[in-house]
Amino acid sequence: MRIQAAVLRSYEGPFTVEEMTLRTEPAVGEVLVEIAGCGMCRTDLAVRRSAGRSPLPAVLGHEGAGVVVRTGGGPDAAIGVGDHVVLSFDSCGHCRNCRSAAPAYCDSFASLNLFGGRSEDPPHLTDAAGEAMAPRWFGQSSFAAYALVPARNAVRVDTALPLELLGPLGCGFLTGAGAVLNSFGAGPGDTLAVFGAGAVGLAAVMAATATGTLTVAVDRLPERLALAERFGAIPLSAATTGLPERIRRLTDGGAQYALDTTASPPLVNDALRALRPRGVLGLVARLHTDLPLAPGTLDRGRGIRHICEGDAVPGVLIPRLTGLWQAGLFPFDQLIRTYPLADINEAERDCEAGRVVKPVLLPEERSR
């Protein structure tokens, strides 16, 4: 099948929308999905800064949603033709962590999602000159009109939902909301400080508000703080003098939980200082420098841990989030701006400049 897809050919160059040939006969355990929309995530853009660790040329995109048009059968044959699905991260399904309902910590997570894919898989995308693209990105490569994906990372959703907007529930929004709902298990009477009001941080704010958790949101951009306040958080500028002390006052002695989405060492230290005794800080962003911790930041039982993909089982959390959206409690659609796939470079520029929280790319026929 010949399809349109956005290709990244060099770490410094623009995306190019090209005609590609896609292998369309799903193997056992695979499904072919017509993409309705795909979110652009910071992880996609981080490929540019991967120092060659992510092979190019590649079709990126890992927040896809669409309609199943073919299936290869197999153990996940419950996914059928015509089903509406959200695509999430890939996992092997048989390692100890996968069997323990922790697929985000799959032993093969890096190879399946980031650095090469299943070596036994034949190439699934080739360009007009016959050059094979890098193996599937997060099991998807969904910056395209169609994606051939493992059925394991496809989650069926209600056909009444706005399918073209649902893709970010597979990663960015899942990560922020999952940190609150799964990693922290926050609820009424708990307190939370969120550092960074981007897509992940604002999803955490919405989930916390839905559970009755008092939340403080920290960011440097006034427009992001205004969004956090709209979604129920107390806004606080990152430039506030005595930031940890201010958070402790607002949370009656300190936050029980803090979530850092910035990977900024000074803000990580502020987050730890803002915790009450036995409080927990979760980190979701990849650190690119050493993380020096100031004396006393881990005193009195405070803890720090990394959270991957919101500790989510996508097949459980994604339906929970769509249910909250239908109840008016998780308005993630208010963070989205859609772009035709052909405008992917504009979407990237807007994302990097902070002009949009969550870009979603629509294949050309969907964008009309």
Side-chain angles (χ1 to χ4, degrees), residues 154-247:
V155 178
R156 186 191 295 110
V157 293
D158 187 341
T159 57
L161 295 167
L163 184 60
E164 68 278 6
L165 303 183
L166 300 185
L169 294 176
C171 185
F173 297 159
L174 169 138
T175 296
V180 173
L181 301 174
N182 296 328
S183 310
F184 299 150
D190 286 330
T191 51
L192 168 70
V194 175
F195 289 75
V200 174
L202 289 171
V205 167
M206 288 187 281
T209 299
T211 61
T213 300
L214 187 151
T215 305
V216 177
V218 177
D219 201 277
R220 60 186 178 84
L221 297 176
E223 56 270 28
R224 294 296 175 87
L225 291 174
L227 281 171
E229 186 173 24
R230 182 201 303 175
F231 299 133
I234 301 169
L236 199 57
S237 171
T240 300
T241 301
L243 182 61
E245 292 77 13
R246 183 72 181 276
I247 293 172

Side-chain angles (χ1 to χ4, degrees), residues 96-121:
R96 179 175 296 183
N97 284 332
C98 284
R99 294 197 311 269
S100 300
Y105 304 96
C106 172
D107 288 350
S108 302
F109 186 93
S111 63
L112 294 179
N113 292 284
L114 300 171
F115 306 131
R118 295 180 171 93
S119 59
E120 69 272 17
D121 283 357

